[in-house]
Amino acid sequence: MSNKRLTVRQIAEIANVSIATVSRVSRGTGQVSPETRERVLRVIEEHGYRPNQLGRALAEQKHGAVAIVFPGLAGPYFSELIQGFEYEAMETGASVHIVGTHRRAAADDDVLAMSARVDGIAVHGGTIKEETLRRLAADVPVVVLAGRPLDGIPAVRADNSRVAELTRHLLVDHGYRRLAFVGNPDGSPDVTDRWEAFRQGHRDARVPAPKTPVKIGLQQSDGVIAAGELFERANPPRAIVCANDETALGVLIGALGRGLKIPGDVAITGFDDVAMSSLVQPGLTTIRQPIRELGAVTARLLLSGLGEPGAVMDTVLATELVLRGSCGCR
Amino acid sequence: MSNKRLTVRQIAEIANVSIATVSRVSRGTGQVSPETRERVLRVIEEHGYRPNQLGRALAEQKHGAVAIVFPGLAGPYFSELIQGFEYEAMETGASVHIVGTHRRAAADDDVLAMSARVDGIAVHGGTIKEETLRRLAADVPVVVLAGRPLDGIPAVRADNSRVAELTRHLLVDHGYRRLAFVGNPDGSPDVTDRWEAFRQGHRDARVPAPKTPVKIGLQQSDGVIAAGELFERANPPRAIVCANDETALGVLIGALGRGLKIPGDVAITGFDDVAMSSLVQPGLTTIRQPIRELGAVTARLLLSGLGEPGAVMDTVLATELVLRGSCGCR
DNA sequence: TTGTATGCGTTATCAG
DNA sequence: CTGATAACGCATACAA
C-alpha cells in the first residue's frame, strides 16, 4: 500500500534527460524533439509517473481546487447544484471541496480556513455572515450563489420574482383567498425574495396578504410539520405557496395523510421543479429554475478570474411557471 | 481583493529573528524564550500572518485533506453520512473533498486523480469498480464505506441482515404473503445484502421468496415509479420491502395518491429511519442504522493511519428494527 | 532543442 | 535558545 511514487528527478535520470525536459513532456508545454518526447513518455508510462500535486501547486502558486459552501446537503436541489458546479470545475481540471455548514457554530471559521486551500469559493446565500463573506473575499475570489451581490462580490441566482406571477394565478385565475406562505425568509436570500414576490402578487391582485410566513426549514420533513400546523388551524388556508418543492411535497404528503383532497380542499405550489414534482398525484404546480445551470455558471465565473474592471456582478437566470394539478389547473 | 499574504521570511525580518524561530512560534513546537515568542507572536498577529498551506503541505509531505466518494448526493442518507464524516475530519484539522460520481463515465479516473490530492479516501460501496479500488489503494489509504472489505482494504458498514428479521415479522407475525422487494442489488453492496436477507427471511419462515426484486434506484422518485409498476400488476403485492426509506416513502406516496390504504391494502417498510419516516401517516416501519456514526467511524479509521498489522478490517454497526404503522403494527 | 539554476513557503536537522 | 541550511517536487526563465 502507498508505494512511494517517483519524482521528476528519477524519471529524468532514467530517461537520460534533464528534469526540465521531463516537466515539458509531462505537461505538454514547450518544444521537445519527437524522439526525446517518445523516450521520456515511455519511461513515464512504464513507471506510472504522475507529477506530485504538492510540488506542482507550490511552483504554480495555485491549488487547482475550488470550494462550494452550502447550508446543508439534503435534498435534490443541492445535489443538482453540486453536479452542475462539479462538472464544470472538473472540465478545467480543478477539484472541488464541498463544505456543509450544517448550522454549526464554527462554520464561519471553517469557511475562512478553507480560503487557504483553494483558488476560489462559491458561497450559497444564507450560509455565513456578511462580515465573514467580506473577509473571505479579501483572501480569495468569491462568488455568491443564490444570493445578492455584496460590495465587490458577484452573484449568480435565479429569478424569484416569478412567484408573484404564481401568486396572482392563484388569486385571480383560480379565485382563491386565504393563501399561506411556507418558508423562513430569515437567513435565506432566495426565500426572502420569494416571500416578497408572494406579497407583491397580492398587491398586484389587490388582495391583502398574510402578515407572516410559516417559518420553517426547506426540507420535506419541515413541510410535513408545516402541514400539521396549517391544517389544525380553525380557518385553514385555501392555497399554500411553499418556498421550494421539498416543503411543498411535505405539505402534500401531510394533506394526503389527513385525507384532504388536492386541489379540492387545498391547493399547493412549490419552487424548483424537482423530479418528484411531476410524479406525485396530483402533479405539483411549481416554478422551474435551472438548478444545474446555476451551479455551472457559478463555477465558470469563479474559474474565469474575477475582479477585472467591467466584470459581471450579477447574473440572474430565467425561471418558468409550470402548471400542474396541485393548483387546480386541469 | 486577494491581498498577497506575508511569508515566514518577511515575518522573520520584521521580528528580527530567523525563519526557523517564526516557524517554531507559529506552530508552537520546540523551545523559544518567552520574550522572543512574545515579540514574534505580536508581529504575526499584527500582520495577520498564516502559514501558506502549499508550502506546509510540501514540507510535511501531506495534504491535510481526505476525500469521500459517493454515487450521488441526493437524499438525507448521504447528507447525514457526510455530516458524520466531515465533523470527525474537521476535528483533526483535515478538510474534506466530496466526490459525487453521478454515474459519470469518467468517474473512476476522477477518483484515481483524487488520490494525488488527499491523504486518504473513503469510498462508498458501489461507486467504482473493484479493479479501480485496488489501484487506488496502492496509492493512498482507502476505507470502504457501506461495502465489504476487499483484499487489504478495510470496510465500515451497518448490519443489513436485520432485514431477515423484518421479513419474518411480515410473514409470520402479520401473516402476509406475496411480498415484493424494491431495490437494485446490482452495484450496491447494501442493497445486495438486504435482498439476500429478504430471501433469508423467507427461508426462515419456510415461505417461497420472489425470484427477482423490482430493480430501481434509491431515490424517492424511484419509489413512485416502482409503485406505478407494482400497483398495476394483476396480483399486486400484499407487502413491499424497500431497500431504503426514500424509495419506501416514494412507494407510500404512490399508494396514497392511488387512494390505497396503508397497511390495509398494502404494507410498506424501509431501511434507514430518516426524519420523514416518523412523520408520514402512517409512520414507516423501518430499520434504523446509525448513519452519522457510520460516517464518523469511517473518518476516524481513515485518519488513524491504516495498514498496520492487526488493524481492524471490518466494522459492522448494529441496526434496530423500528415498528410503526405501515407494516400493520398498532 | 536541451540543460542549469532558481524560486515557491514551509518544516526540520544540525551546529552554534 | 537560536540561526543557517537543506530538503520537499515541480515549473520556468535564462543559457547554452
Side-chain angles (χ1 to χ4, degrees):
Chain A
M1 221 132 311
S2 239
N3 302 321
K4 287 193 178 50
R5 303 197 83 78
L6 289 79
T7 72
V8 241
R9 249 171 287 272
Q10 315 192 45
I11 296 293
E13 188 167 2
I14 298 172
N16 241 320
V17 293
S18 73
I19 62 169
T21 299
V22 174
S23 178
R24 281 189 279 258
V25 170
S26 86
R27 73 191 329 255
T29 120
Q31 301 292 310
V32 184
S33 81
E35 310 93 70
T36 313
R37 145 162 293 118
E38 186 54 40
R39 179 156 40 97
V40 174
L41 233 34
R42 215 172 34 237
V43 175
I44 286 180
E45 190 72 20
E46 197 169 321
H47 294 78
Y49 167 76
R50 270 175 20 210
N52 177 301
Q53 170 65 21
L54 263 32
R56 166 175 293 189
L58 184 57
E60 288 184 335
Q61 288 292 76
K62 58 188 262 192
H63 304 262
V66 291
I68 181 163
V69 180
F70 283 122
L73 303 170
Y77 168 77
F78 290 114
S79 176
E80 279 284 310
L81 205 51
I82 291 172
Q83 277 185 59
F85 186 89
E86 210 168 29
Y87 182 81
E88 200 65 29
M90 291 280 191
E91 288 287 289
T92 73
S95 69
V96 179
H97 273 280
I98 300 176
V99 182
T101 59
H102 308 299
R103 62 195 183 295
R104 269 198 314 268
D108 282 41
D109 292 335
D110 291 346
V111 174
L112 245 19
M114 198 51 143
S115 72
R117 316 179 139 275
V118 296
D119 303 318
I121 302 186
V123 179
H124 196 277
T127 52
I128 59 175
K129 295 196 283 285
E130 284 200 355
E131 170 57 19
T132 309
L133 201 54
R134 285 203 194 80
R135 285 176 54 195
L136 192 65
D139 283 351
V140 69
V142 174
V143 173
V144 172
L145 173 50
R148 292 174 177 274
L150 175 69
D151 295 350
I153 310 169
V156 177
R157 56 206 179 108
D159 179 16
N160 290 313
S161 71
R162 199 165 293 270
V163 170
E165 190 179 322
L166 169 63
T167 305
R168 195 201 137 285
H169 173 71
L170 296 172
L171 291 169
V172 177
D173 298 346
H174 289 296
Y176 298 138
R177 289 300 177 270
R178 298 199 324 282
L179 308 202
F181 182 91
V182 172
N184 188 353
D186 306 340
S188 166
D190 266 342
V191 180
T192 304
D193 288 353
R194 290 168 199 168
W195 163 245
E196 283 309 324
F198 174 77
R199 289 163 51 99
Q200 182 62 48
H202 278 79
R203 281 194 293 275
D204 294 347
R206 307 195 187 289
V207 175
K211 278 173 239 14
T212 57
V214 179
K215 292 193 178 182
I216 206 148
L218 290 169
Q219 298 188 31
Q220 219 175 71
S221 51
D222 295 309
V224 179
I225 294 168
E229 190 198 314
L230 288 166
F231 297 136
E232 296 310 318
R233 287 184 183 174
N235 200 8
R238 181 62 187 83
I240 303 175
V241 174
C242 299
N244 69 347
D245 278 8
E246 288 289 286
T247 46
L249 291 167
V251 170
L252 185 139
I253 292 165
L256 251 36
R258 280 178 174 71
L260 295 174
K261 297 290 174 217
I262 302 167
D265 295 323
V266 60
I268 300 172
T269 70
F271 195 110
D272 281 347
D273 195 25
V274 302
M276 274 293 286
S277 302
S278 61
L279 292 171
V280 288
Q281 287 278 1
L284 185 67
T285 286
T286 186
I287 291 165
R288 180 180 303 149
Q289 67 168 327
I291 306 181
R292 229 187 163 91
E293 185 67 10
L294 221 47
V297 170
T298 304
R300 274 200 290 274
L301 186 58
L302 199 56
L303 292 161
S304 71
L306 276 50
E308 287 109 43
V312 180
M313 285 306 297
D314 198 5
T315 307
V316 181
L317 269 45
T319 52
E320 176 193 359
L321 184 56
V322 179
L323 298 174
R324 297 203 181 95
S326 73
C327 69
C329 285
R330 296 186 200 172
Chain B
M1 222 129 315
S2 241
N3 302 321
K4 287 194 178 49
R5 303 198 82 77
L6 289 80
T7 73
V8 241
R9 248 172 287 273
Q10 314 193 46
I11 296 293
E13 188 166 3
I14 298 171
N16 242 318
V17 293
S18 72
I19 61 169
T21 299
V22 174
S23 178
R24 279 190 280 258
V25 170
S26 88
R27 71 192 329 256
T29 99
Q31 301 292 310
V32 184
S33 82
E35 309 94 70
T36 313
R37 146 163 292 118
E38 185 55 38
R39 179 156 40 99
V40 175
L41 233 35
R42 216 172 34 238
V43 175
I44 287 180
E45 189 72 20
E46 197 169 320
H47 294 78
Y49 166 77
R50 269 176 21 210
N52 177 301
Q53 170 65 20
L54 263 32
R56 168 177 293 195
L58 183 58
E60 288 185 337
Q61 289 292 79
K62 57 187 265 191
H63 304 262
V66 291
I68 181 164
V69 180
F70 283 122
L73 301 171
Y77 168 76
F78 290 114
S79 177
E80 278 284 308
L81 205 50
I82 291 172
Q83 277 184 58
F85 187 89
E86 211 168 29
Y87 182 81
E88 200 64 28
M90 291 281 191
E91 289 286 289
T92 74
S95 70
V96 178
H97 272 281
I98 300 176
V99 182
T101 58
H102 309 298
R103 61 195 183 295
R104 270 198 314 269
D108 282 42
D109 292 335
D110 291 346
V111 175
L112 245 20
M114 198 50 142
S115 72
R117 315 179 139 276
V118 295
D119 303 319
I121 301 187
V123 179
H124 196 276
T127 52
I128 59 175
K129 296 197 284 286
E130 285 200 354
E131 171 57 19
T132 310
L133 201 53
R134 285 202 194 81
R135 285 175 55 194
L136 193 65
D139 284 351
V140 70
V142 173
V143 173
V144 172
L145 174 49
R148 292 175 176 273
L150 176 69
D151 296 350
I153 310 169
V156 176
R157 55 204 180 108
D159 179 16
N160 290 314
S161 71
R162 199 166 293 270
V163 169
E165 189 179 323
L166 169 62
T167 306
R168 196 201 136 283
H169 172 71
L170 297 172
L171 291 170
V172 178
D173 299 346
H174 290 296
Y176 299 137
R177 288 300 176 270
R178 300 198 324 282
L179 308 202
F181 182 91
V182 173
N184 188 351
D186 306 340
S188 167
D190 266 341
V191 179
T192 305
D193 287 353
R194 290 168 200 170
W195 163 245
E196 282 309 325
F198 174 77
R199 291 167 47 102
Q200 182 62 49
H202 278 79
R203 282 194 292 275
D204 294 347
R206 307 194 188 289
V207 176
K211 278 174 233 25
T212 57
V214 179
K215 292 193 178 183
I216 206 148
L218 290 169
Q219 298 187 32
Q220 220 175 72
S221 51
D222 295 309
V224 179
I225 294 167
E229 190 199 313
L230 287 167
F231 297 136
E232 296 309 318
R233 286 184 183 174
N235 201 8
R238 181 60 187 83
I240 303 173
V241 174
C242 300
N244 70 347
D245 278 8
E246 287 289 287
T247 45
L249 291 166
V251 170
L252 184 140
I253 292 165
L256 251 36
R258 281 178 174 71
L260 294 174
K261 297 291 174 216
I262 302 166
D265 295 324
V266 59
I268 299 171
T269 69
F271 195 111
D272 281 347
D273 196 25
V274 302
M276 276 293 286
S277 303
S278 61
L279 293 170
V280 289
Q281 287 278 359
L284 185 68
T285 285
T286 187
I287 291 165
R288 180 180 303 149
Q289 67 168 327
I291 306 181
R292 228 186 164 94
E293 185 66 10
L294 221 48
V297 169
T298 303
R300 275 200 290 274
L301 187 58
L302 199 57
L303 293 161
S304 71
L306 276 49
E308 286 110 43
V312 180
M313 286 305 298
D314 198 6
T315 307
V316 180
L317 269 45
T319 51
E320 176 192 359
L321 184 56
V322 180
L323 298 174
R324 297 202 180 94
S326 73
C327 69
C329 284
R330 293 183 206 179

